[in-house]
Coordinates of all heavy atoms in Angstrom, one line a residue:
Chain A
A72 N 17.5 245.9 36.0 CA 16.2 245.2 36.0 C 15.0 246.1 35.8 O 13.9 245.6 35.5 CB 16.1 244.5 37.4
Y81 N 20.4 248.3 40.1 CA 21.4 247.2 39.8 C 22.6 247.8 39.0 O 23.6 247.2 38.9 CB 20.7 246.2 38.8 CG 19.9 245.2 39.4 CD1 19.3 245.4 40.7 CD2 19.6 244.0 38.8 CE1 18.4 244.5 41.3 CE2 18.8 243.1 39.5 CZ 18.2 243.3 40.6 OH 17.3 242.4 41.2
D149 N 3.3 226.3 41.6 CA 3.6 227.6 41.1 C 5.1 227.9 40.6 O 5.6 229.0 40.6 CB 3.3 228.7 42.2 CG 4.1 228.6 43.5 OD1 4.9 227.6 43.6 OD2 4.0 229.4 44.3
I150 N 5.8 226.8 40.4 CA 7.2 226.9 40.0 C 7.3 226.1 38.6 O 6.9 224.9 38.6 CB 8.2 226.5 41.0 CG1 8.0 227.3 42.3 CG2 9.6 226.6 40.5 CD1 9.0 227.0 43.3
L151 N 7.9 226.7 37.7 CA 8.1 226.0 36.4 C 9.7 225.9 36.3 O 10.5 226.8 36.6 CB 7.7 226.8 35.2 CG 6.2 226.9 34.8 CD1 6.0 227.8 33.7 CD2 5.7 225.5 34.6
G168 N 25.7 229.5 40.7 CA 25.1 230.6 41.6 C 24.8 231.9 40.9 O 24.1 232.7 41.4
Y170 N 23.2 234.5 37.9 CA 21.9 234.6 37.3 C 22.0 235.2 35.9 O 23.0 235.8 35.5 CB 20.9 235.4 38.2 CG 21.3 236.8 38.4 CD1 20.8 237.8 37.6 CD2 22.0 237.3 39.5 CE1 21.0 239.1 37.8 CE2 22.4 238.6 39.7 CZ 21.8 239.6 38.8 OH 22.0 240.9 39.1
V171 N 20.9 235.0 35.1 CA 20.7 235.7 33.9 C 19.5 236.6 33.9 O 18.7 236.5 34.9 CB 20.5 234.7 32.7 CG1 21.6 233.9 32.4 CG2 19.3 233.8 33.0
S175 N 11.1 239.8 29.0 CA 9.8 239.4 28.6 C 9.3 240.1 27.3 O 9.8 241.3 27.1 CB 8.8 239.6 29.8 OG 8.5 241.1 29.9
Y178 N 2.7 241.8 26.1 CA 1.5 241.1 26.0 C 0.4 241.8 26.7 O 0.6 242.6 27.6 CB 1.6 239.7 26.6 CG 1.8 239.6 28.1 CD1 0.7 239.6 29.0 CD2 3.1 239.7 28.6 CE1 0.9 239.7 30.4 CE2 3.3 239.9 30.0 CZ 2.2 239.7 30.8 OH 2.5 239.7 32.2
R181 N 1.0 245.1 28.4 CA 2.0 245.2 29.4 C 3.4 245.3 28.7 O 3.6 244.7 27.8 CB 1.9 244.0 30.4 CG 0.5 244.0 31.1 CD 0.5 243.0 32.2 NE 1.1 243.5 33.4 CZ 1.0 242.8 34.5 NH1 0.3 241.7 34.6 NH2 1.6 243.3 35.6
V184 N 9.8 243.8 30.1 CA 10.7 244.1 31.2 C 11.9 243.1 31.3 O 11.8 242.1 30.6 CB 10.0 244.0 32.5 CG1 8.9 245.1 32.6 CG2 9.3 242.6 32.8
M185 N 12.9 243.4 32.0 CA 14.0 242.4 32.2 C 13.9 242.0 33.7 O 13.8 242.9 34.6 CB 15.3 243.1 31.9 CG 15.7 243.2 30.5 SD 17.4 243.5 30.3 CE 17.3 245.2 30.4
R186 N 14.0 240.7 33.9 CA 14.0 240.2 35.3 C 15.1 239.2 35.5 O 15.5 238.4 34.6 CB 12.7 239.6 35.7 CG 11.5 240.4 35.7 CD 11.5 241.4 36.9 NE 10.3 242.2 37.0 CZ 10.3 243.5 36.5 NH1 11.3 244.1 36.1 NH2 9.1 244.1 36.6
A187 N 15.6 239.2 36.7 CA 16.8 238.3 37.0 C 16.2 236.9 37.5 O 15.3 236.8 38.2 CB 17.5 238.9 38.2
Y188 N 16.9 235.8 36.9 CA 16.6 234.5 37.3 C 17.9 233.7 37.5 O 18.7 233.7 36.6 CB 15.6 233.8 36.3 CG 14.3 234.5 36.3 CD1 14.0 235.5 35.3 CD2 13.3 234.3 37.3 CE1 12.8 236.1 35.4 CE2 12.2 235.0 37.4 CZ 11.9 235.9 36.4 OH 10.7 236.6 36.5
S189 N 18.0 233.0 38.5 CA 19.3 232.3 38.9 C 19.3 231.0 38.0 O 18.2 230.4 37.7 CB 19.3 231.9 40.3 OG 19.1 233.1 41.1
I190 N 20.5 230.7 37.6 CA 20.6 229.6 36.7 C 20.6 228.2 37.5 O 21.4 228.3 38.7 CB 22.0 229.6 35.9 CG1 22.0 230.9 35.1 CG2 22.1 228.4 35.0 CD1 23.3 231.1 34.5
S191 N 19.8 227.3 37.3 CA 19.7 226.1 38.2 C 20.5 224.9 37.6 O 20.8 224.0 38.2 CB 18.3 225.7 38.4 OG 17.8 225.3 37.2
L202 N 16.2 227.5 34.3 CA 15.8 228.4 35.4 C 14.6 227.8 36.1 O 13.9 227.0 35.5 CB 15.4 229.7 34.7 CG 16.3 230.4 33.7 CD1 15.6 231.6 33.2 CD2 17.7 230.7 34.3
N203 N 14.4 228.2 37.4 CA 13.3 227.8 38.1 C 12.5 229.1 38.3 O 13.0 230.0 39.1 CB 13.6 227.2 39.5 CG 14.5 226.0 39.3 OD1 15.2 225.7 40.3 ND2 14.4 225.3 38.3
V204 N 11.4 229.3 37.6 CA 10.6 230.5 37.8 C 9.3 230.3 38.7 O 8.6 229.4 38.4 CB 10.2 231.1 36.4 CG1 9.4 232.3 36.6 CG2 11.5 231.4 35.6
R205 N 9.2 231.2 39.7 CA 8.1 231.1 40.5 C 7.0 232.1 40.1 O 7.4 233.3 40.0 CB 8.4 231.2 41.9 CG 7.3 231.2 42.9 CD 7.7 231.6 44.3 NE 6.7 231.0 45.2 CZ 7.1 230.5 46.4 NH1 8.3 230.7 46.9 NH2 6.2 230.0 47.1
L206 N 5.8 231.8 40.0 CA 4.8 232.7 39.6 C 4.5 233.7 40.7 O 4.3 233.4 41.9 CB 3.5 232.0 39.3 CG 2.3 232.9 38.8 CD1 2.5 233.5 37.5 CD2 1.0 232.1 38.8
V207 N 4.6 235.0 40.3 CA 4.3 236.1 41.3 C 2.9 236.6 40.8 O 2.8 237.0 39.6 CB 5.3 237.2 41.2 CG1 4.8 238.5 42.0 CG2 6.7 236.8 41.8
P208 N 1.9 236.5 41.6 CA 0.6 236.9 41.1 C 0.6 238.3 40.5 O 1.0 239.2 41.1 CB -0.3 236.8 42.4 CG 0.4 235.9 43.3 CD 1.9 236.1 43.0
D209 N 0.1 238.3 39.2 CA 0.0 239.5 38.5 C 1.4 240.1 38.1 O 1.5 241.2 37.7 CB -0.8 240.6 39.2 CG -1.4 241.5 38.3 OD1 -1.8 241.1 37.1 OD2 -1.5 242.8 38.6
G210 N 2.5 239.4 38.4 CA 3.8 239.9 38.1 C 3.9 240.0 36.6 O 3.5 239.1 35.8
I211 N 4.6 241.0 36.0 CA 4.7 241.2 34.6 C 5.4 240.1 33.9 O 5.0 239.4 33.0 CB 5.4 242.5 34.3 CG1 4.7 243.7 34.9 CG2 5.6 242.7 32.8 CD1 5.2 245.0 34.7
C212 N 6.6 239.7 34.4 CA 7.4 238.8 33.7 C 7.0 237.4 34.0 O 6.9 236.6 33.0 CB 8.9 238.9 34.1 SG 10.1 237.8 33.3
T213 N 6.6 237.1 35.2 CA 6.3 235.6 35.4 C 4.9 235.3 34.8 O 4.7 234.2 34.3 CB 6.2 235.5 37.0 OG1 5.4 236.4 37.6 CG2 7.5 235.5 37.6
T214 N 4.0 236.2 34.7 CA 2.8 235.9 34.0 C 3.0 235.7 32.5 O 2.4 234.8 32.0 CB 1.7 237.2 34.1 OG1 1.7 237.4 35.5 CG2 0.4 236.8 33.6
W215 N 4.0 236.4 32.0 CA 4.4 236.2 30.6 C 4.9 234.7 30.5 O 4.6 233.9 29.6 CB 5.4 237.1 30.1 CG 5.9 236.9 28.8 CD1 5.3 236.9 27.6 CD2 7.2 236.4 28.5 NE1 6.1 236.6 26.6 CE2 7.4 236.3 27.1 CE3 8.4 236.2 29.3 CZ2 8.5 235.9 26.5 CZ3 9.6 235.8 28.7 CH2 9.6 235.6 27.2
F217 N 4.5 232.1 32.4 CA 3.5 231.0 32.6 C 2.5 231.0 31.6 O 2.1 229.8 31.2 CB 2.8 231.2 34.0 CG 3.7 230.6 35.2 CD1 4.8 231.2 35.5 CD2 3.2 229.5 35.8 CE1 5.6 230.6 36.6 CE2 4.0 229.0 36.8 CZ 5.1 229.4 37.2
Y232 N 25.3 237.3 35.4 CA 25.5 238.3 36.3 C 25.7 237.8 37.8 O 25.3 236.6 38.0 CB 24.2 239.3 36.4 CG 23.9 239.9 35.1 CD1 22.9 239.3 34.3 CD2 24.4 241.1 34.8 CE1 22.6 240.0 33.1 CE2 24.0 241.8 33.7 CZ 23.1 241.2 32.8 OH 22.7 241.9 31.6
G233 N 26.2 238.7 38.7 CA 26.1 238.3 40.1 C 27.4 237.8 40.7 O 28.1 237.2 40.0
F235 N 27.1 236.0 43.6 CA 26.8 234.9 44.5 C 27.3 233.6 43.9 O 26.7 233.2 42.8 CB 25.2 234.9 44.6 CG 24.8 233.8 45.5 CD1 24.8 234.0 46.9 CD2 24.1 232.6 45.0 CE1 24.3 232.9 47.8 CE2 23.7 231.6 45.8 CZ 23.8 231.8 47.2
G250 N 11.6 228.1 48.1 CA 10.9 228.4 46.8 C 11.9 228.2 45.6 O 12.7 227.4 45.6
S251 N 11.8 229.3 44.8 CA 12.6 229.3 43.6 C 14.1 229.5 44.0 O 15.0 229.6 43.1 CB 12.1 230.3 42.6 OG 12.1 231.6 43.1
G252 N 14.3 229.9 45.3 CA 15.7 230.1 45.7 C 16.5 228.8 45.6 O 17.7 228.8 45.8
M253 N 15.8 227.7 45.3 CA 16.4 226.4 45.0 C 17.5 226.6 43.9 O 18.6 226.0 44.0 CB 15.4 225.5 44.5 CG 15.9 224.2 43.9 SD 16.6 223.1 45.1 CE 15.2 222.2 45.8
A254 N 17.1 227.3 42.9 CA 17.9 227.3 41.6 C 19.5 227.5 41.8 O 20.2 226.7 41.4 CB 17.4 228.4 40.6
P255 N 19.9 228.6 42.3 CA 21.4 228.7 42.4 C 22.1 227.7 43.3 O 23.2 227.2 43.0 CB 21.6 230.0 43.0 CG 20.4 230.4 43.7 CD 19.3 229.7 43.0
C341 N 19.4 231.9 49.8 CA 18.8 232.4 48.6 C 17.2 232.3 48.8 O 16.7 231.3 49.2 CB 19.2 231.4 47.5 SG 19.5 232.2 46.0
G342 N 16.6 233.4 48.5 CA 15.1 233.4 48.5 C 14.6 234.8 48.7 O 15.3 235.8 48.4
S343 N 13.4 234.9 49.2 CA 12.9 236.3 49.5 C 13.6 237.0 50.5 O 14.3 236.4 51.3 CB 11.4 236.1 49.9 OG 11.4 235.6 51.2
P344 N 13.6 238.4 50.5 CA 14.4 239.2 51.5 C 14.0 238.8 52.9 O 14.9 238.7 53.7 CB 14.0 240.6 51.0 CG 13.6 240.6 49.6 CD 13.0 239.2 49.4
D367 N 21.7 235.8 47.9 CA 20.9 236.5 46.8 C 19.6 236.7 47.1 O 18.9 235.8 47.5 CB 21.0 235.5 45.5 CG 21.7 236.2 44.4 OD1 22.1 237.3 44.5 OD2 21.8 235.5 43.3
E368 N 19.1 237.9 47.2 CA 17.8 238.2 47.6 C 16.9 238.4 46.3 O 17.3 239.1 45.4 CB 17.7 239.6 48.3 CG 18.1 239.3 49.8 CD 18.0 240.7 50.5 OE1 18.3 241.7 49.9 OE2 17.6 240.7 51.7
F369 N 15.9 237.5 46.2 CA 15.0 237.6 45.0 C 14.0 238.8 45.1 O 12.8 238.5 45.2 CB 14.3 236.4 44.9 CG 15.2 235.2 44.4 CD1 16.5 235.4 44.3 CD2 14.6 234.0 44.1 CE1 17.4 234.3 43.9 CE2 15.4 232.9 43.6 CZ 16.8 233.1 43.5
A370 N 14.5 240.0 45.2 CA 13.5 241.2 45.3 C 13.2 241.8 44.0 O 14.2 241.8 43.2 CB 14.1 242.1 46.3
Ligands
FAD1 C1 19.5 238.1 41.9 C2 18.0 237.8 41.7 C3 17.8 236.4 41.3 C4 16.5 235.9 41.2 N1 16.3 234.6 40.9 C5 15.0 234.2 40.7 C6 14.8 232.9 40.3 O1 15.7 232.0 40.2 N2 13.5 232.4 40.2 C7 12.5 233.2 40.4 O2 11.3 232.9 40.3 N3 12.6 234.6 40.7 C8 13.9 235.0 40.8 N4 14.1 236.4 41.1 C9 13.0 237.3 41.2 C10 12.7 237.8 39.8 O3 13.7 238.5 39.2 C11 11.4 238.7 39.7 O4 11.5 239.7 40.6 C12 10.1 237.9 39.9 O5 10.0 236.9 39.1 C13 8.9 238.9 39.8 O6 8.9 239.4 38.4 P1 7.6 239.9 37.7 O7 8.0 240.8 36.6 O8 6.7 238.7 37.4 O9 6.8 240.8 38.8 P2 6.6 242.3 38.9 O10 5.8 242.8 37.9 O11 8.0 242.9 38.9 O12 6.0 242.4 40.3 C14 4.7 242.2 40.6 C15 4.3 242.6 42.1 O13 4.9 241.6 42.9 C16 5.9 242.0 43.8 N5 7.0 241.1 43.7 C17 8.1 241.2 43.0 N6 8.9 240.1 43.1 C18 8.3 239.4 44.1 C19 8.7 238.2 44.7 N7 9.9 237.6 44.4 N8 7.9 237.7 45.6 C20 6.8 238.3 46.0 N9 6.3 239.5 45.4 C21 7.1 240.0 44.5 C22 6.3 243.4 43.4 O14 6.6 244.3 44.5 C23 4.9 243.8 42.7 O15 4.1 244.4 43.5 C24 15.5 236.9 41.2 C25 15.6 238.2 41.7 C26 17.0 238.6 41.8 C27 17.2 240.0 42.3

Side-chain angles (χ1 to χ4, degrees):
Chain A
Y81 281 26
D149 66 352
I150 300 181
L151 281 181
Y170 65 91
V171 291
S175 72
Y178 62 92
R181 301 186 79 170
V184 294
M185 279 197 272
R186 293 285 184 264
Y188 296 99
S189 306
I190 305 174
S191 63
L202 311 176
N203 303 153
V204 177
R205 177 187 205 148
L206 181 65
V207 171
D209 206 34
I211 300 179
C212 185
T213 50
T214 308
W215 172 71
F217 275 70
Y232 298 95
F235 182 75
S251 56
M253 167 70 86
C341 224
S343 67
D367 238 1
E368 285 180 322
F369 287 6

